[in-house]
Amino acid sequence: MKFIDVHCHINESDYGGVDALINNIQAAGVQKIISAGFDLPSSEYCRALAEKYACVYFTAGIHPTELKNYRDGDVERIAELARHKKCVAIGETGLDYHYPDTDKVLQREVFLKQIDLADKLGLPVQIHSRDCAEDTLDILKANAGKFGAGGLLHCYSYSPEIALQIQKLGFCFSFGGTCTYSGSKRARRTIAALDADRIMTETDSPYLAPKSGQGIFPNTPESIPEVAATIAEIRGAELEEICTLLWRNAHALFKKLNNK
């Protein structure tokens, strides 16, 4: 079986030697990972990882909580990275209203610029959304014509009802370690409700360890098989069938995953 992690963060500071980590990931059956950029330096670092390791692909983008160092011209620099043959998406980008000092106006401005960039380059977007379901949905609906290459709501945490509205706009959804907990009722209900071709696996490593590693940091893409098994259980399917589906879904959205 082939597993894939469509959203994780791989870096030296959390994991130490990346060589050993990549070997362990591959040994766990996770054949491809997408290392997500969240600002310019991390996006450049993700590009370097993708150039070094055959199994690593990357995204380039500016996260909504990483805007304190944002400057005019940064999105243009993201565009340069996004033209790399292994950059599969723009992101992660989006909205996050979790913190009290949130600059909602700037978040919206930078999010919209990255949506425009993805549209221009014909790439999907990887979207982060926390504590702002209504505003996220409004932006996606208002810009529905700009998602010709599709998009992903990573680590989806809102209701199944909202997910079904977003699904109609052509989006996919990825789920990580939190869905392995029986208390994650919204995530599990959403996994059951979505069309089969809209579901993917992620870890958001080094965060969000699954049930078997509760409280452990860092989480790694090695936990993807546990996430996939949970999705198979929720949907009443065989694991091998789900793995084939998840692999196909990821390659259908992220076209550059077929690049070497």
Side-chain angles (χ1 to χ4, degrees):
M1 288 182 284
K2 297 185 291 187
F3 298 96
I4 184 166
D5 187 340
V6 301
H7 187 102
C8 60
H9 303 282
I10 303 299
N11 57 70
E12 295 280 353
S13 61
D14 289 319
Y15 297 104
V18 174
D19 285 350
L21 174 65
I22 294 295
N23 288 337
N24 291 339
I25 291 169
Q26 299 267 267
V30 182
Q31 296 194 11
K32 293 183 181 180
I33 64 174
I34 299 175
S35 186
F38 52 85
D39 59 10
L40 278 170
S42 65
S43 297
E44 290 168 348
Y45 178 74
C46 289
R47 176 184 61 184
L49 288 176
E51 290 175 346
K52 183 175 182 180
Y53 301 103
C55 67
V56 178
Y57 295 75
F58 76 105
T59 72
I62 303 170
H63 189 285
T65 65
E66 301 296 325
L67 296 176
K68 60 184 177 183
N69 296 318
Y70 175 76
R71 299 290 183 271
D72 287 343
D74 284 357
V75 173
E76 287 70 24
R77 292 175 65 190
I78 290 295
E80 294 173 12
L81 290 166
R83 292 184 175 94
H84 193 282
K85 68 178 183 178
K86 293 184 78 177
C87 182
V88 302
I90 300 297
E92 60 183 299
T93 182
L95 303 174
D96 190 320
Y97 294 173
H98 184 70
Y99 300 103
D101 61 346
T102 295
D103 186 338
K104 295 181 181 179
V105 174
L106 182 58
Q107 284 196 12
R108 182 185 180 93
E109 174 190 334
V110 178
F111 185 22
L112 289 172
K113 284 184 176 181
Q114 291 178 91
I115 289 172
D116 287 343
L117 176 61
D119 183 33
K120 177 183 176 182
L121 297 180
L123 288 173
V125 287
Q126 275 210 9
I127 295 175
H128 167 103
S129 179
R130 180 164 62 159
D131 297 344
C132 52
E134 185 175 340
D135 281 4
T136 299
L137 182 57
D138 286 347
I139 286 177
L140 298 184
K141 286 181 175 178
N143 292 273
K146 298 179 180 179
F147 301 115
L152 177 78
L153 269 290
H154 106 85
C155 199
Y156 184 80
S157 61
Y158 300 134
S159 70
E161 292 76 18
I162 291 173
L164 292 175
Q165 291 186 64
I166 296 174
Q167 178 178 260
K168 290 178 181 177
L169 300 173
F171 280 81
C172 298
F173 306 80
S174 57
F175 301 89
T178 53
C179 78
T180 65
Y181 295 87
S182 59
S184 297
K185 292 182 170 48
R186 283 194 299 187
R188 296 169 76 91
R189 285 172 51 222
T190 302
I191 290 168
L194 288 169
D195 291 348
D197 62 353
R198 302 302 180 89
I199 300 171
M200 299 183 200
T201 45
E202 68 158 286
T203 59
D204 203 19
S205 299
Y207 315 107
L208 306 181
K211 186 176 180 180
S212 67
Q214 184 174 5
I216 292 176
F217 184 93
N219 183 29
T220 84
E222 296 166 76
S223 64
I224 281 289
E226 184 175 351
V227 176
T230 298
I231 291 173
E233 176 191 347
I234 291 168
R235 293 189 65 90
E238 295 296 326
L239 179 57
E240 186 170 356
E241 174 190 350
I242 285 293
C243 286
T244 299
L245 173 72
L246 296 169
W247 184 267
R248 184 171 64 239
N249 290 351
H251 286 74
L253 177 62
F254 302 114
K255 302 291 193 298
K256 289 187 186 179
L257 282 174
N258 297 297
N259 291 342
K260 298 296 184 184

